[in-house]
């Protein structure tokens, strides 16, 4: 084992290597983003088409079937699902997992464009989009104030929404509900007949008058200035005084002569309430590579600033839903379990190894392996999610295996009256192949999971690679850092059975001896009664399948969980 010999003879090299790995690991951990689950992007294309005023039957025959026939020839389509609703057609293409969603949406766009001329004239152009988990909002915000409803709507739309869009990682801010200002022109049909006018005359007059267009430019020594003529209405009086046409006597017929112009509110089709109060809803969508937790933190800081700025207007932002809270709670719970697992492992090692120093070496080796794993996770684009953190929690038991086997064998060689350096080297040389085989078996089990395809692969890829990398790091630590520390600090320790710690450890050893004796008697009985033992094992084996078949154990893809 040349690597172990180098580690023992050149301790400075090992210290520098692990100091570098620790620094890079901590840096990588600080740059990684938190997510609830790994990124899942199933190849699904959604084609939605709006057909105003059409019934579901008409939508199906005029739009849905034509789109289905057009896209049916696209390669690697697994299923085509469609819904024909009133005014809307929705066609969903579920592709094989081996398909590229970006290429699929391009093919679908070409097919739809080819048959667009065959769709009804009143039909809007079909909209294609790729299903993405990032399309779901990470925050829902309710905005309330003592301002009039139309003023609050304009403030949110023209001030708050642009400011929130400037935050790093923001993809889109969607508005829901609220009361938008609307200028209503209520035409009197009787007066139209009296003046021999039609609604088209009125709408044409308004459209021609409500314009804004460039009129030229002014050049001087300083530069060039563009001139625009703004002819848009700025008050209802201007609309009232607008001339529709002149009668036979050249008397102007104005809007106010045939209609009533009111500054009103647009009819609401979506109502948003937060804590029972009418509100304006904001849905926050993040960019695909953005950190949801950092984005949520930045948004909350911005909302606090706006509340302070508009304090006289009693502006308040209510956040009924923020996915980052549950994400961080889940991540912190797993990290706490991870820390607790490391401490408990070191505590248990104290009872078995009878040495505070050896327990400290194990306690030092496990975090070193974990921190080094963060480097590969960061370079691979992984996030700190439930599955990667679960992988790190699971791998604690695997990481400690290598260190325990090495330290236990070093301890055995120390009992042969060898020096710490010689004991460390001889122990590794003796069991190096065994430790390597233990580690590589774990790697061989988990790495193939990352090479599969499908939805389950998307979920378990980061988990399996995290476990494999952490296990390889533990192998490297057990061949370098553990023998180095053992060669410098390990020594035989005899606990005094009269002291509290020694008394407790000896009682623990006595319990282990009784358990070993019980297992020996059990094995002896099993060897004497081979038929009964074999029959019992087979009965238990097949009975375990009946637990699922008879419904005692249910099945589901993923537990819904309790988010409080």
């Amino acid at each position: 084992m040349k690597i172990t010999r180098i580690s023992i003879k050149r301790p400075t090299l090992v210290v520098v290597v692990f100091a570098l790995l620790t620094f890079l690991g901590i840096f990588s951990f600080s740059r990684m983003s938190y997510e609830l689950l790994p990124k899942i992007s199933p190849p699904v294309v959604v084609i939605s088409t709006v057909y105003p005023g059409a019934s579901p039957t008409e939508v199906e025959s005029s739009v849905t079937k034509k789109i289905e026939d057009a896209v049916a020839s696209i390669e690697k389509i697994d299923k085509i699902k469609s819904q024909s609703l009133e005014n809307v057609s929705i066609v969903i293409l579920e592709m094989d997992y081996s398909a590229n969603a970006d290429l699929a949406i391009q093919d679908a766009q070409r097919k739809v464009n080819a048959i667009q001329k065959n769709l009804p004239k009143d039909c809007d152009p079909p909209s294609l989009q790729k299903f993405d988990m990032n399309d779901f909002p990470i925050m829902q915000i309710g905005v309330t104030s003592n301002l009039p409803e139309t003023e609050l709507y304009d403030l949110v739309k023209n001030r708050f929404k642009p400011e929130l869009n400037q935050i790093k990682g923001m993809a889109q801010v969607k508005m829901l509900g609220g009361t938008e200002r609307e200028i209503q022109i209520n035409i009197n049909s009787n007066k139209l007949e009296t003046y021999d006018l039609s609604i088209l005359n009125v709408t044409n007059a308004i459209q021609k008058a409500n314009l804004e267009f460039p009129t030229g430019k002014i050049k001087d020594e300083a530069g060039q200035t563009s001139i625009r003529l703004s002819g848009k209405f700025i008050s209802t009086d201007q609309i009232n005084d607008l001339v529709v046409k002149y009668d036979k006597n050249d008397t102007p017929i104005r809007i106010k002569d045939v209609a009533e112009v009111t500054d009103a509110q647009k009819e609401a089709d979506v109502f948003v309430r937060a804590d029972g109060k009418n509100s304006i809803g904001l849905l926050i969508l993040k960019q695909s590579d953005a950190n949801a937790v950092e984005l949520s933190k930045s948004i909350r800081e911005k909302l606090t600033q706006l509340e302070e700025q508009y304090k006289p207007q009693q502006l308040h932002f209510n956040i009924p839903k923020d996915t980052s809270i549950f994400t961080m709670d889940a991540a912190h719970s797993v990290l706490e379990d991870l820390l607790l697992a490391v401490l408990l492992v070191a505590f248990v090692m104290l009872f078995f190894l009878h040495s505070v120093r050896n327990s400290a070496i194990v306690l030092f080796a496990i975090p070193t392996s974990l921190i080094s794993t963060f480097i590969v996770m960061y370079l691979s684009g992984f996030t700190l999610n439930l599955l990667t953190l679960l992988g790190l929690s699971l791998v604690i038991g695997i990481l400690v295996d290598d260190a325990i086997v090495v330290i236990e064998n070093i301890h055995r060689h120390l009992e042969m009256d060898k020096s710490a350096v010689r004991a460390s080297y001889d122990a590794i040389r003796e069991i190096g192949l065994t430790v390597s085989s233990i580690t590589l078996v774990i790697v061989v089990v988990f790495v193939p999971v990352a090479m599969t395809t499908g939805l389950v692969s998307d979920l378990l890829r980061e988990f399996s690679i995290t476990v494999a990398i952490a296990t390889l790091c533990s192998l490297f630590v057990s061949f370098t850092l553990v023998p180095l520390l053992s060669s410098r600090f390990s020594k035989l320790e005899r606990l005094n059975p009269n002291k509290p710690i020694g008394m407790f450890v000896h009682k623990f050893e006595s319990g282990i001896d009784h358990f070993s004796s019980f297992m020996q008697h059990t094995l002896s009985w099993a060897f004497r009664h081979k038929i009964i033992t074999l029959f019992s094992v087979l009965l238990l084996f097949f009975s375990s399948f009946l637990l699922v078949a008879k419904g005692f154990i249910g099945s589901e893809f993923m537990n819904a969980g309790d988010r409080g």
Side-chain angles (χ1 to χ4, degrees):
M1 286 292 173
K2 292 184 179 180
I3 187 171
T4 302
R5 181 185 299 173
I6 294 174
S7 301
I8 296 174
K9 291 185 176 180
R10 302 285 186 269
T12 305
L13 176 62
V14 177
V15 171
V16 170
V17 168
F18 280 98
L20 183 61
L21 290 175
T22 302
F23 172 77
L24 292 177
I26 295 173
F27 173 77
S28 301
F29 177 80
S30 64
R31 298 295 297 271
M32 294 177 68
S33 61
Y34 284 91
E35 297 289 349
L36 186 61
L37 293 171
K39 294 179 181 178
I40 303 174
S41 299
V44 177
V45 178
V46 181
I47 307 172
S48 56
T49 310
V50 177
Y51 187 7
S55 65
T57 305
E58 188 176 359
V59 169
E60 181 181 12
S61 60
S62 302
V63 179
T64 304
K65 286 187 175 180
K66 292 181 179 180
I67 293 178
E68 284 181 348
D69 294 340
V71 300
S73 59
I74 296 177
E75 294 182 358
K76 297 185 178 180
I77 289 183
D78 185 26
K79 295 178 183 177
I80 298 180
K81 298 180 180 179
S82 63
Q83 284 183 307
S84 298
L85 309 174
E86 189 171 356
N87 304 327
V88 179
S89 165
I90 300 174
V91 179
I92 302 174
L93 309 180
E94 295 184 7
M95 318 295 293
D96 291 337
Y97 244 86
S98 59
N100 187 317
D102 294 325
L103 295 178
I105 199 170
Q106 292 176 13
D107 291 341
Q109 185 70 64
R110 286 195 295 268
K111 300 288 186 181
V112 170
N113 290 341
I115 58 103
Q116 189 169 342
K117 60 183 179 181
N118 299 327
L119 299 178
K121 293 182 180 180
D122 297 336
C123 179
D124 293 345
S127 172
L128 283 79
Q129 59 185 6
K130 182 175 60 174
F131 177 81
D132 194 344
M133 296 296 290
N134 291 308
D135 292 338
F136 294 99
I138 64 168
M139 290 182 71
Q140 295 178 0
I141 305 171
V143 188
T144 57
S145 172
N146 61 3
L147 290 170
E149 293 182 348
T150 54
E151 291 186 21
L152 178 61
Y153 186 92
D154 290 340
L155 186 65
V156 173
K157 181 179 180 181
N158 302 320
R159 175 69 190 275
F160 299 162
K161 189 177 175 182
E163 289 194 20
L164 291 174
N165 276 322
Q166 295 176 4
I167 297 177
K168 182 180 178 181
M170 181 75 72
Q172 187 180 4
V173 179
K174 292 183 178 180
M175 287 183 63
L176 291 177
T179 305
E180 189 176 3
R181 183 186 181 191
E182 183 178 71
I183 304 299
Q184 296 178 354
I185 302 176
N186 302 312
I187 298 176
N188 189 316
S189 59
N190 294 327
K191 291 183 178 181
L192 281 181
E193 291 181 7
T194 302
Y195 290 106
D196 192 24
L197 293 173
S198 66
I199 293 180
L200 186 61
N201 296 135
V202 179
T203 56
N204 286 338
I206 294 173
Q207 289 175 357
K208 290 178 181 179
N210 191 39
L211 294 175
E212 181 177 342
F213 47 85
T215 56
K217 60 186 73 174
I218 298 175
K219 294 183 179 180
D220 55 17
E221 296 179 355
Q224 178 176 293
T225 304
S226 298
I227 306 298
R228 296 183 64 84
L229 178 61
S230 179
K232 290 186 176 292
F233 299 121
I234 60 175
S235 67
T236 56
D237 292 336
Q238 291 181 347
I239 301 176
N240 276 318
D241 294 335
L242 177 64
V243 176
V244 179
K245 78 170 191 176
Y246 292 88
D247 62 9
K248 296 178 181 179
N249 300 322
D250 287 338
T251 302
I253 302 173
R254 305 181 187 276
I255 294 291
K256 62 184 178 182
D257 296 327
V258 296
E260 179 186 6
V261 181
T262 57
D263 190 347
Q265 299 174 353
K266 190 175 181 180
E267 184 179 357
D269 53 1
V270 176
F271 294 94
V272 177
R273 290 186 176 90
D275 288 341
K277 298 179 181 179
N278 288 335
S279 308
I280 297 177
L282 297 178
L283 302 181
I284 307 299
L285 278 69
K286 74 177 188 70
Q287 297 174 358
S288 59
D289 58 344
N291 187 333
V293 176
E294 291 297 326
L295 178 59
S296 174
K297 182 180 178 182
S298 301
I299 291 173
R300 288 179 177 272
E301 292 175 354
K302 188 64 179 179
L303 297 183
T304 303
Q305 295 175 7
L306 292 174
E307 284 182 342
E308 205 53 43
Q309 185 176 353
Y310 290 90
K311 198 171 185 179
Q313 289 80 18
Q314 297 181 7
L315 180 68
H316 177 64
F317 294 96
N318 192 333
I319 306 178
K321 180 180 179 181
D322 184 354
T323 58
S324 66
I325 295 176
F326 180 75
T327 300
M328 289 304 299
D329 287 345
H332 286 157
S333 297
V334 178
L335 288 174
E336 290 172 3
D337 294 342
L338 196 60
L339 178 62
L340 186 62
V342 174
L343 295 177
L344 288 176
V345 163
F347 192 63
V348 171
M349 287 303 98
L350 177 63
F351 295 144
F352 282 97
L353 300 180
H354 300 174
S355 171
V356 176
R357 297 190 179 201
N358 288 338
S359 298
I361 292 174
V362 174
L363 187 63
F364 191 74
I366 295 175
T368 305
S369 301
L370 292 177
I371 292 173
S372 302
T373 307
F374 289 125
I375 302 174
V376 180
M377 292 173 63
Y378 174 68
L379 295 177
S380 302
F382 294 174
T383 58
L384 294 171
N385 53 66
L386 287 183
L387 289 173
T388 53
L389 292 174
L390 177 65
L392 292 176
S393 301
L394 172 68
V395 86
I396 291 292
I398 301 172
L399 298 182
V400 77
D401 285 348
D402 295 340
I404 289 174
V405 172
V406 171
I407 290 176
E408 180 67 25
N409 205 40
I410 291 174
H411 186 79
R412 187 175 67 85
H413 281 269
L414 285 173
E415 291 178 337
M416 300 177 185
D417 293 330
K418 294 183 180 180
S419 65
V421 174
R422 173 52 58 183
S424 299
Y425 178 72
D426 290 346
I428 293 292
R429 187 178 59 180
E430 187 176 61
I431 61 167
L433 186 61
T434 304
V435 174
S436 300
S437 62
I438 294 173
T439 304
L440 293 179
V441 164
I442 303 297
V443 175
V444 168
V445 169
F446 282 95
V447 168
V449 177
M451 299 179 181
T452 59
T453 59
L455 182 60
V456 175
S457 175
D458 285 349
L459 282 172
L460 298 182
R461 181 179 294 112
E462 295 185 9
F463 168 81
S464 57
I465 291 179
T466 299
V467 172
I469 295 301
T471 306
L472 290 174
C473 289
S474 75
L475 180 64
F476 180 65
V477 168
S478 65
F479 281 173
T480 55
L481 189 62
V482 171
L484 171 61
L485 295 175
S486 299
S487 66
R488 297 298 189 274
F489 303 107
S490 286
K491 69 176 185 179
L492 291 175
E493 295 185 24
R494 306 293 182 184
L495 294 177
N496 190 344
N498 297 322
K499 291 185 177 181
I501 297 179
M503 187 182 303
F504 187 82
V505 171
H506 278 77
K507 286 184 177 180
F508 178 79
E509 283 287 340
S510 177
I512 293 295
D513 291 339
H514 283 92
F515 179 74
S516 299
S517 177
F518 168 75
M519 292 303 297
Q520 288 176 5
H521 289 302
T522 303
L523 287 173
S524 298
W525 183 90
F527 285 130
R528 290 195 305 269
H529 304 82
K530 296 183 178 65
I531 297 177
I532 298 176
T533 303
L534 183 61
F535 179 77
S536 300
V537 171
L538 291 175
L539 180 64
L540 290 173
F541 176 73
F542 289 107
S543 297
S544 62
F545 292 103
L546 293 176
L547 292 175
V548 179
K550 296 297 182 180
F552 291 101
I553 298 177
S555 62
E556 58 183 345
F557 178 68
M558 185 178 295
N559 190 2
D562 182 7
R563 302 197 179 197

